[in-house]
Amino acid sequence: MAFLSGLSAFPITPSDRGGHVDTAALKRLVTRLCTAGVDSIGLLGSTGTYMYLSREERRRALSVAIDETGASIPVVVGVGALRTDEAVRLAQDAKASGAAAGLLAAVSYAPLTEDEVFEHFSTVARESGLPIVIYDNPGTTHFRFTANLVERLAHVPGIVAIKNPTEKPEEISSHLAQQRSMTPKGFPIGYSGDWSAAEAMICGADTWYSVLAGILPDVCLRMVRAAQNGDVEEARRLDATLSPIWDLFKQFSSLRTVYTIADLLGVSKAEPPRPILPLPALAKEKVAHCLTLLEQDLA
């Protein structure tokens, strides 16, 4: 799965208060990513608020993205759901629409066991025929993939890659080495957690699954290319330039922050789906100031 490398950009999914996707705004977001030349687009991830959208609206969003990208940029689409049969149908929808892969999290209400997660993932991969990326996101699912479970799933036909969280940058190197030792050769290992992504890529991770790249792809792409080319100094310099953004992510959450950035840039006026509230005025001013400083630094 060569397309699961480099920068995977995760945009928001603009919608109204009734949960109807703003296709014009989504098209503008996807166009930005295509123009920048990101390696893949992560549609309907957590930043894309997939769990807040109906099956019909997910299909509408995916149709917009596929139409806009054509065959130029692969689309990896979130197919997570509480029920296995529902996740299968979402993955089948994604395959029929032309998605390159599905991003599957261990979404639940009742806490899940490892065997339950294994069966859930195996069934979705088998019955949908869509390549599946393991989405380990304990911050939202409250389920953490153990090394043993990752090893089991990585050998299931149709499960093709993993998106890991990055909680402790100093542990990325050892974590990556451990996963490489237990997954098949060529199994792409990537990381989210934007403020640790530079170190992950420097350590040799295949992919940065990025929230910020969904709205500011150019600087994120520069950082990835620097890391891929072995220019550690430049990758870290760009990461340091983005540190005010990382601070905003930590203070307000990446989701609320990127909705505000999209608004400030005039790309989308949508608010996050309720009950998530948009940032208050003072916080929005802080994001605007940060954007101004970032523009000056990058210039």
Side-chain angles (χ1 to χ4, degrees):
M1 294 291 166
F3 66 88
L4 289 170
S5 63
L7 181 65
S8 188
F10 281 67
I12 62 173
T13 309
S15 61
D16 63 21
R17 292 198 178 183
H20 304 293
V21 174
D22 181 343
T23 55
L26 180 57
K27 183 176 180 178
R28 288 193 294 272
L29 285 159
V30 173
T31 298
R32 288 172 65 88
L33 306 184
C34 293
T35 301
V38 300
D39 297 300
S40 64
I41 294 174
L43 193 75
L44 300 175
S46 294
T47 303
T49 55
Y50 67 104
M51 288 300 292
Y52 296 85
L53 296 170
S54 68
R55 180 183 178 187
E56 179 183 358
E57 292 303 313
R58 292 199 203 189
R59 283 193 297 232
R60 290 183 67 228
L62 182 55
S63 177
V64 169
I66 295 295
D67 287 347
E68 189 61 24
T69 59
S72 61
I73 298 177
V75 176
V76 180
V77 60
V79 295
L82 286 169
R83 292 177 58 92
T84 299
D85 58 336
E86 184 181 358
V88 168
R89 288 191 290 272
L90 291 167
Q92 290 170 337
D93 289 345
K95 183 180 181 182
S97 296
L103 186 65
L104 183 60
V107 180
S108 69
Y109 180 80
L112 300 175
T113 68
E114 289 199 8
D115 285 342
E116 288 167 341
V117 171
F118 179 83
E119 290 299 325
H120 178 65
F121 275 67
S122 299
T123 300
V124 174
R126 181 179 64 252
E127 296 189 8
S128 72
L130 180 72
I132 296 297
V133 179
I134 301 166
Y135 184 12
D136 187 2
N137 190 21
T140 58
T141 64
H142 309 293
F143 180 89
R144 188 176 297 275
F145 286 76
T146 64
N148 179 63
L149 181 56
V150 170
E151 182 175 18
R152 291 173 65 194
L153 286 171
H155 289 86
V156 171
I159 296 181
V160 299
I162 186 167
K163 176 181 184 286
N164 290 292
T166 51
E167 296 171 348
K168 297 179 180 179
E170 67 276 9
E171 295 180 1
I172 293 173
S173 181
S174 59
H175 180 270
L176 178 59
Q178 181 189 43
Q179 281 201 347
R180 289 243 190 266
S181 71
M182 62 179 54
T183 55
K185 185 177 180 180
F187 187 87
I189 298 173
Y191 290 85
S192 56
D194 279 11
W195 49 85
S196 299
E199 290 307 309
M201 296 305 291
I202 289 168
C203 288
D206 295 292
T207 317
W208 173 19
Y209 295 97
S210 173
V211 173
L212 185 62
I215 189 63
L216 296 177
D218 296 288
V219 61
C220 297
L221 196 59
R222 287 170 56 189
M223 192 168 79
V224 166
R225 295 294 182 256
Q228 288 177 323
N229 293 331
D231 192 345
V232 173
E233 182 178 352
E234 175 66 2
R236 287 183 174 148
R237 184 190 72 80
L238 290 167
D239 182 52
T241 300
L242 292 170
S243 61
I245 298 284
W246 307 152
D247 290 340
L248 293 173
F249 279 14
K250 294 172 186 177
Q251 182 177 1
F252 302 122
S253 84
S254 59
L255 177 65
R256 296 178 181 88
T257 302
V258 294
Y259 264 89
T260 301
I261 293 174
D263 182 11
L264 291 168
L265 294 177
V267 181
S268 168
K269 296 297 181 183
E271 295 182 351
R274 296 299 173 95
I276 305 169
L277 295 175
L279 292 182
L282 288 177
K284 188 173 181 178
E285 290 176 9
K286 190 171 183 178
V287 176
H289 178 65
C290 183
L291 284 178
T292 299
L293 294 178
L294 177 61
E295 182 179 350
Q296 293 171 353
D297 287 343
L298 292 175

